[in-house]
Amino acid sequence: MYIVLLGPPGAGKGTQAQRIAAATQLLHISTGDMFRENVKNETALGKLANQYMAKGELVPDEVTIKMLLERISRTDAKAGAMFDGFPRNVVQAEALDEALRGNGAKVDFALLISVRDAELMARLGGRWICRTCGKLYHEKNDPPKKHGICDACGGELYQREDDRPEVVASRLEKQKPPAALIEHYRKAGTLKEINGEQPLDAVTSALLEAIR
Ligand code: AMP
């Protein structure tokens, strides 16, 4: 089974993807995590991607698509995966469709997590991530037990460069799922919309219900 999670930055795609992966054993592929890993390791790809990420812009399609296609060509992705943060536009969606078609597969569900702009601004400002294991927290909605420390592994929590307030507004503007992308999956009959303003557990339940 292949699932794409769609939604604006701050809709909870990353958090929900971690929860669904844990509940379903589906492989979780996050292009944002892959880029951040490359930035951390100071690879050539990381240096290139960071020029865009730091400004809240999308990394060019050819770079992102190449990285994603390489990732899904590995054996662990043959049985299925859940994509978080990919595709961001129709060009990327078509590249994914074509690659999966080559394996006799397709995107089975496109789950759109909807949240209003004002709520997104508040959420993005309070987001913290574990430097060691990548677990996500939120100051207000989902805080760690000890400030600055990951509950799961004891790692140090940090704020993403692109979660700084001056970048957040422009990221929201530039990175909302475009109408044409939503339409792409609506036409394919795979789109399901979930209200992302419910409590975390209710969103997880609604997503799991949608793919059952
Ligand atoms: P995310 O963790 O999904 O919010 O992604 C963090 C940053 O990585 C984004 O702001 C983009 O700069 C870049 N990025 C992640 N996924 C994509 C994608 N599918 N296409 C282009 N850029 C991406």
Side-chain angles (χ1 to χ4, degrees), residues 1-202:
M1 174 158 65
Y2 290 92
I3 299 174
V4 302
L5 274 185
L6 305 174
K13 294 190 298 294
T15 303
Q16 294 299 340
Q18 289 177 352
R19 289 168 158 232
I20 297 172
T24 61
Q25 307 298 317
L26 265 180
L27 175 70
H28 173 199
I29 297 181
S30 156
T31 43
D33 285 351
M34 293 171 79
F35 283 133
R36 278 185 290 279
E37 189 64 24
N38 276 279
V39 172
K40 190 166 96 186
N41 296 332
E42 298 180 9
T43 66
L45 173 62
K47 283 179 193 150
L48 173 70
N50 201 35
Q51 294 173 21
Y52 300 91
M53 294 169 75
K55 288 187 282 186
E57 286 171 9
L58 289 177
V59 177
D61 285 342
E62 55 181 65
V63 176
T64 308
I65 290 171
K66 185 168 168 229
M67 176 178 80
L68 192 276
L69 294 186
E70 190 282 319
R71 181 65 191 87
I72 61 176
S73 70
R74 295 193 221 156
T75 19
D76 62 348
K78 295 289 179 228
M82 178 176 40
F83 301 101
D84 151 21
F86 189 97
R88 294 288 231 271
N89 57 38
V90 175
V91 173
Q92 296 185 2
E94 285 174 347
L96 178 62
D97 289 347
E98 194 187 318
L100 293 181
R101 210 178 298 128
N103 288 339
K106 64 178 173 54
V107 172
D108 300 289
F109 297 102
L111 307 176
L112 171 63
I113 307 180
S114 301
V115 177
R116 286 164 305 158
D117 284 3
E119 171 70 16
L120 292 172
M121 294 288 293
R123 286 186 182 188
L124 289 169
R127 178 156 73 175
W128 292 81
I129 308 178
C130 175
R131 219 179 266 294
T132 310
C133 74
K135 187 166 164 35
L136 296 164
Y137 295 89
H138 190 277
E139 252 161 38
K140 273 198 253 134
N141 306 338
D142 189 18
K145 292 198 181 78
K146 253 199 227 155
H147 178 75
I149 307 286
C150 178
D151 294 346
C153 77
E156 180 201 0
L157 303 184
Y158 76 103
Q159 277 209 297
R160 281 167 47 168
E161 274 285 294
D162 56 355
D163 279 346
R164 284 175 293 124
E166 61 274 28
V167 185
V168 164
S170 100
R171 230 171 104 217
L172 266 187
E173 213 34 63
K174 291 178 193 150
Q175 298 202 17
K176 275 190 201 159
L181 178 62
I182 296 173
E183 202 43 42
H184 177 86
Y185 290 114
R186 200 190 305 278
K187 262 199 238 143
T190 50
L191 184 74
K192 301 209 177 179
E193 186 169 352
I194 276 93
N195 172 8
E197 295 194 28
Q198 310 172 77
L200 273 181
D201 287 345

